[in-house]
Amino acid sequence: MAVNLANFSHCLVAALFILVAQAQVLAPDVLVKTITDDVVTVLKQDKDIQAGDTKKVATLIETKVLPHFNFTRMTRLAMARNWRLASPEQQQELTNEFRTLLVRTYSTAISSYRDQKIDYKPLRAKPDDTEVTVKAEVRQPGSTQPVSIDYEMEKTSNGWKVYDVKVGGVSLVTTYRETFAAEVKDRGVDGLLKSLAEKNRSGERLKPGKT
């Protein structure tokens, strides 16, 4: 199924709502619900962000979003078996470039917030689980069809971290797998790194492949 990255941008704003640093470790579903109100308040009150202030958007993402992502695991999932072909140095570079790529995606998402309503499903998890899925549905204004959002989270020594977000059942991370694999096959790991770096510098979107 072909994935249009623009469709992710409109829905993935929901994923931003869970990503504010907390002094205490909260249960993943509690974290999701608690942070939603905080981030929505910022989005509704900050006129500069509403007007498209890219610097403020970047600052919001850097301070509120990034601390709650495991970018190394996300990059490893996107690379799949090709991750083993990269040296430790290349793995770090790939993680940094993929991080930048996803930040740009979230920048678009946060700028597109338009009073979406988010309904959370009861968390099905055991107390000793270290990986959980927090499920939600996003309802767009004027739309009767909700969009499912699944937050794949893992428990770490620094609290719960997001390692993937699925929109309508499609993984944000693994949707890049085919594109990455094609780049590595044609140009090697260095070629993929070069492609990511060039697109990140130019602001061009990397088209995801098929999943």
Side-chain angles (χ1 to χ4, degrees), residues 55-71:
K55 289 185 178 180
K56 274 201 169 184
V57 171
T59 298
L60 180 61
I61 291 173
E62 289 287 342
T63 58
K64 306 299 187 181
V65 177
L66 302 192
H68 286 268
F69 273 96
N70 183 341
F71 283 103

Side-chain angles (χ1 to χ4, degrees), residues 10-11 116-117 119 136-149 167-168:
H10 193 63
C11 299
Q116 288 91 342
K117 185 178 185 299
D119 297 319
E137 287 185 343
V138 179
R139 296 184 181 275
Q140 309 290 347
S143 174
T144 59
Q145 185 65 36
V147 178
S148 65
I149 305 284
V167 179

Side-chain angles (χ1 to χ4, degrees), residues 87-198:
S87 67
E89 293 77 14
Q90 288 174 321
Q91 290 176 352
Q92 185 59 56
E93 289 183 56
L94 286 165
T95 300
N96 292 341
E97 294 295 346
F98 194 43
R99 175 182 181 274
T100 300
L101 176 67
L102 293 179
V103 167
R104 288 168 45 217
T105 300
Y106 279 102
S107 294
T108 302
I110 200 170
S111 299
S112 70
Y113 175 72
R114 295 296 183 272
D115 293 320
Q116 288 91 342
K117 185 178 185 299
I118 306 172
D119 297 319
Y120 297 97
K121 305 300 181 181
L123 179 65
R124 295 184 178 182
K126 298 177 182 178
D128 58 347
D129 283 346
T130 57
E131 294 196 2
V132 301
T133 302
V134 177
K135 294 180 174 290
E137 287 185 343
V138 179
R139 296 184 181 275
Q140 309 290 347
S143 174
T144 59
Q145 185 65 36
V147 178
S148 65
I149 305 284
D150 293 345
Y151 309 92
E152 303 294 345
M153 304 178 71
E154 63 177 344
K155 190 175 185 179
T156 74
S157 58
N158 295 317
W160 288 92
K161 303 287 185 182
V162 176
Y163 64 88
D164 197 7
V165 181
K166 295 179 180 177
V167 179
V170 181
S171 163
L172 172 67
V173 173
T174 58
T175 191
Y176 289 99
R177 185 172 289 166
E178 184 176 303
T179 301
F180 284 9
E183 288 275 1
V184 172
K185 180 180 179 180
D186 293 341
R187 306 169 59 195
V189 174
D190 282 333
L192 173 60
L193 276 169
K194 183 178 180 181
S195 177
L196 284 170
E198 289 174 348

